[in-house]
Amino acid sequence: MHTIELKNISKEYNGVTVLNDINLYIQENEFLTLLGPSGCGKTTTLRIIGGFEEPTKGTVLFEEKDITDIPPYKRQINTVFQKYALFPHLDVYDNIAFGLKIKKLPKSEIDSKVKEMLRLVNLQGFEKRSIDSLSGGQQQRIAIARALVNEPKVLLLDEPLGALDLKLRKDMQIELKNMQKRVGITFIYVTHDQEEALTMSDTIVVMDKGRIQQIGTPVDIYNEPKNAFVAEFIGESNIIDGIMHEDYLVEFSGQNFKCVDKGFRKGENIEVVIRPEDIEIVSVANGQLNGIVKSVTFKGVHYEMIIESKDFEWMIHSTIMKEVGTEIGMTVLPENIHIMKKVRAE
Ligand SMILES: Nc1ncnc2c1ncn2[C@@H]1O[C@H](COP(=O)(O)OP(=O)(O)O)[C@@H](O)[C@H]1O
Ligand SMILES: [Mg+2]
């Protein structure tokens, strides 16, 4: 059974379509991330799942029941917003206990649940602290504790780490992922940061201009991007025009290459995607392609080199360093040549 299902969801604001026929299943205990550039419709999708926004068309199902018209507070779904929205006049304890007090749970039960949540977010002993004495990261952990204490079946998180600096963000990514595993709740997470999505998610939904471009595991999305938008968005790539001559045979840069793709028309114009780390440097004599090193930059674990060939500038990531001006040969394995239809998302 799916925990959440979005069926043909569209959303218009003043006649402008911002979500276009979104179809999506979300499983129990899944960590699913909506990933895409600013303005692509991630927050709107999340708000529709949370019940804060009504779709123009389509239905939202929760455990197979239509909840499209159910208000947010009646959904077993909680939200952690980008801004933490804690109550500034309440201390940490009362912020976390807020929902439980409204539900009129016995004091001892509230007490043990709040303690358990503080342990979960690693802030034991912070009960009496005021909100403004906490750092951004601590406030965000309290916001997460406050949402989780109500034991929702689904937690929605809209760029929850967006306001944190890089180091803290990296730590929190790992913490959040561990928390999600421990509590076993479905997380629907929104980010525009591809690295964050790749690190944390079971499933990534790549969106652009109100449409889903691809749904898959991080490995799928990284290794088998479905179109040039996904390839470009997920990581730096070489994207070059090519022609598919027959199944498993592609031409680009004036050469024929074996590949592992099939099902294209003979002579179809396509785009070829090759990751910078998948191009191997070999001697000029052994190169499928040759080029001149135009620039070299050390990136910490590898060198990034721009190689000028006769009709294209290739980006290579390699632990081998070649001097600027050197001529080199390059090879690519067939499985690292990704063929994509030449339709970019409009
Ligand atoms: N209340 C609104 N009224 C009009 N347009 C909106 C409203 N909310 C969002 N939009 C528009 O919908 C599009 C998608 O927005 P949003 O879902 O916030 O994108 P994201 O979260 O991916 O950055 C944007 O073009 C945005 O300007
Ligand atoms: Mg947003």
Side-chain angles (χ1 to χ4, degrees):
M1 185 167 67
H2 307 300
T3 299
I4 303 265
E5 186 177 349
L6 302 183
K7 259 185 159 163
N8 308 109
I9 293 283
S10 294
K11 179 69 183 175
E12 290 176 12
Y13 288 113
N14 315 314
V16 178
T17 302
V18 301
L19 289 180
N20 198 332
D21 200 28
I22 300 290
N23 287 286
L24 184 61
Y25 300 117
I26 303 158
Q27 315 283 359
E28 206 176 338
N29 298 345
E30 187 169 8
F31 195 123
L32 178 134
T33 300
L34 305 176
L35 171 70
S38 178
C40 73
K42 306 180 295 294
T43 295
T44 306
T45 306
L46 211 64
R47 289 176 61 80
I48 287 172
I49 296 171
F52 304 102
E53 204 75 68
E54 241 181 86
T56 310
K57 278 193 219 121
T59 35
V60 181
L61 303 177
F62 179 84
E63 295 180 343
E64 286 166 13
K65 285 187 292 287
D66 187 343
I67 57 160
T68 317
D69 299 320
I70 305 279
Y73 65 93
K74 287 193 180 158
R75 300 187 181 194
Q76 288 169 287
I77 299 174
N78 255 320
T79 308
V80 176
F81 295 99
Q82 190 164 17
K83 300 214 182 67
Y84 326 117
L86 295 168
F87 305 115
H89 58 288
L90 300 180
D91 64 13
V92 165
Y93 184 98
D94 285 336
N95 260 283
I96 299 175
F98 190 82
L100 304 177
K101 284 185 174 168
I102 287 179
K103 282 195 214 149
K104 299 201 162 51
L105 291 192
K107 200 170 174 318
S108 60
E109 199 178 330
I110 294 180
D111 232 49
S112 70
K113 281 186 195 281
V114 171
K115 292 240 155 67
E116 187 192 326
M117 281 304 128
L118 283 170
R119 222 178 3 257
L120 182 75
V121 299
N122 243 326
L123 289 174
Q124 298 102 313
F126 276 63
E127 287 85 341
K128 293 282 162 244
R129 292 279 292 270
S130 70
I131 295 306
D132 60 13
S133 75
L134 304 178
S135 70
Q138 290 168 338
Q139 289 190 29
Q140 191 55 299
R141 301 226 279 269
I142 298 301
I144 291 161
R146 194 183 55 177
L148 286 176
V149 80
N150 299 309
E151 294 167 17
K153 292 224 172 136
V154 178
L155 190 65
L156 308 179
L157 304 105
D158 193 352
E159 314 229 11
L161 309 182
L164 308 179
D165 65 45
L166 184 65
K167 168 79 174 71
L168 190 56
R169 199 155 75 223
K170 298 265 174 216
D171 293 345
M172 281 291 288
Q173 285 172 5
I174 295 163
E175 263 186 57
L176 257 181
K177 176 78 199 173
N178 288 339
M179 259 184 240
Q180 187 261 344
K181 276 199 218 133
R182 258 180 286 153
V183 294
I185 290 174
T186 303
F187 274 33
I188 307 178
Y189 192 93
V190 160
T191 183
H192 65 273
D193 179 337
Q194 49 276 40
E195 207 183 314
E196 188 162 293
L198 291 169
T199 311
M200 300 176 82
S201 319
D202 300 318
T203 305
I204 298 177
V205 179
V206 184
M207 295 177 67
D208 186 38
K209 299 197 170 76
R211 289 176 194 268
I212 293 178
Q213 300 295 325
Q214 186 167 0
I215 303 175
T217 64
V219 173
D220 285 346
I221 300 263
Y222 190 84
N223 287 338
E224 293 296 329
K226 234 168 85 177
N227 57 39
F229 172 80
V230 177
E232 240 164 327
F233 192 73
I234 287 291
E236 286 164 312
S237 266
N238 297 286
I239 302 178
I240 182 170
D241 288 336
I243 302 162
M244 203 65 188
H245 284 308
E246 54 189 73
D247 285 353
Y248 315 118
L249 185 69
V250 61
E251 178 188 333
F252 57 89
S253 212
Q255 311 268 350
N256 284 337
F257 292 82
K258 283 190 188 142
C259 63
V260 296
D261 296 83
K262 62 181 166 102
F264 293 85
R265 278 183 288 106
K266 266 194 188 0
E268 183 168 343
N269 290 313
I270 47 80
E271 281 173 313
V272 178
V273 172
I274 302 173
R275 299 264 174 221
E277 65 271 27
D278 289 336
I279 298 177
E280 210 183 321
I281 298 176
V282 294
S283 66
V284 175
N286 290 324
Q288 293 168 296
L289 298 164
N290 295 330
I292 308 277
V293 179
K294 230 182 114 185
S295 75
V296 181
T297 318
F298 184 57
K299 292 282 184 179
V301 285
H302 61 254
Y303 294 94
E304 181 175 294
M305 286 175 270
I306 304 296
I307 312 298
E308 195 172 352
S309 69
K310 63 180 185 315
D311 56 356
F312 194 71
E313 284 190 353
W314 297 94
M315 182 192 281
I316 300 187
H317 291 169
S318 174
T319 49
I320 300 166
M321 206 273 277
K322 294 285 179 184
E323 299 290 341
V324 172
T326 318
E327 186 176 16
I328 62 162
M330 296 175 279
T331 59
V332 190
L333 293 173
E335 61 265 34
N336 291 328
I337 295 173
H338 306 292
I339 310 296
M340 288 178 304
K341 286 226 169 262
K342 211 179 160 61
V343 275
R344 294 201 182 218
E346 352 118 51

